[in-house]
Amino acid sequence: MSARRRGFFHYLWLGFKISLLLMLANALFSIGQVYYYSRLEHTQTADAAIVLGAAAWDKRPSPVFRERINHAITLYQQKQVAKLIFTGGTPKPGFMTEAEVGRRYAMQQGVPADDILYENRSRDTWQNLVNAQQVAADNNINSLIIVSDPYHMARAAVMAKDLGLNAETSPTPTSRYSATQSKLRFLLQESYLLTVYQWVEWGSKLGLRFHPHP
């Protein structure tokens, strides 16, 4: 093999190793972000709380969604927020949307209908926030608290920042992901999704086209 070809493969291999190191560093950084935001609790007041959508079983919230709704209701009862914004559509036509299920549940817990806003078309976290942003703008709501599961908070916070939302985060104090194995799986899953999201955003800024947000 000629010296020129050996040099080419040397730099190719070097570039590959650097790429792997950068990807590893980004993954570790994402894990750190997910863990940090899972423990970050803001106590200041805001105009409204955005409750990120989760699965609903017919007219009942799933255990994950119920935890989010209950936490948002607590913020409302403690007067940390004046309004609740529920988000989320339905995966199957004919079923009540996640947002409608959340609204119904909150009203059953004593939250007045006038203090509840919602959007019922979103299918993922990004759409939750985009649609909630429009709801907030339509109702002169300027400051927000995002409510979701602890390990989901980092991705939601990064997305909110990218959208220009004036938002803080408030993770649920309890979660169905309480077993060590479940917590680890959810931590790694959210770290992966956050990493993918960040790479997609960086690629978009460079003019590359990728699949929409995870």
Side-chain angles (χ1 to χ4, degrees):
M1 183 182 294
S2 67
R4 184 176 181 179
R5 178 163 293 189
R6 284 198 302 270
F8 169 77
F9 281 109
H10 168 75
Y11 286 112
L12 184 63
W13 177 241
L14 180 62
F16 177 73
K17 290 193 291 185
I18 291 173
S19 297
L20 283 179
L21 287 173
L22 289 174
M23 292 175 66
L24 177 61
N26 186 210
L28 291 175
F29 179 70
S30 293
I31 291 173
Q33 280 185 296
V34 170
Y35 183 76
Y36 171 76
Y37 276 97
S38 74
R39 304 175 67 84
L40 185 64
E41 176 65 44
H42 292 278
T43 57
Q44 65 265 41
T45 60
D47 295 335
I50 298 176
V51 185
L52 298 184
W57 300 340
D58 192 15
K59 297 180 180 180
R60 297 178 294 114
S62 64
V64 169
F65 196 21
R66 188 172 61 245
E67 292 294 325
R68 299 180 188 185
I69 302 168
N70 284 335
H71 186 48
I73 292 173
T74 298
L75 296 178
Y76 175 84
Q77 292 172 338
Q78 293 177 346
K79 301 188 183 303
Q80 284 185 249
V81 297
K83 302 280 186 182
L84 301 181
I85 302 176
F86 289 101
T87 64
T90 177
K92 296 181 180 180
F95 285 82
M96 186 176 287
T97 65
E98 295 169 1
E100 290 169 329
V101 170
R103 178 178 183 272
R104 180 175 180 268
Y105 182 93
M107 290 175 62
Q108 290 174 341
Q109 307 308 310
V111 181
D114 289 345
D115 289 340
I116 300 175
L117 304 168
Y118 68 99
E119 67 78 29
N120 56 12
R121 293 174 289 110
S122 57
R123 294 294 186 87
D124 56 31
T125 303
W126 177 262
Q127 292 177 6
N128 286 167
L129 293 171
V130 168
N131 293 350
Q133 183 178 39
Q134 186 60 56
V135 171
D138 291 342
N139 290 274
N140 297 314
I141 292 172
N142 299 310
S143 57
L144 299 157
I145 294 177
I146 301 171
V147 174
S148 190
D149 297 273
Y151 289 154
H152 188 208
M153 293 277 46
R155 188 156 54 97
V158 171
M159 288 180 173
K161 182 179 179 181
D162 288 343
L163 286 168
L165 285 170
N166 177 22
E168 303 293 348
T169 57
S170 184
T172 57
T174 56
S175 172
R176 69 181 293 261
Y177 302 103
S178 56
T180 300
Q181 186 175 1
S182 295
K183 289 173 68 175
L184 179 60
R185 183 170 64 249
F186 194 28
L187 171 64
L188 294 177
Q189 174 184 310
E190 278 299 321
S191 299
Y192 167 75
L193 291 173
L194 178 58
T195 300
V196 171
Y197 171 78
Q198 290 173 328
W199 279 93
V200 168
E201 286 301 297
W202 292 336
S204 297
K205 291 175 182 178
L206 293 173
L208 303 176
R209 292 182 178 272
F210 293 101
H211 186 275
H213 309 91

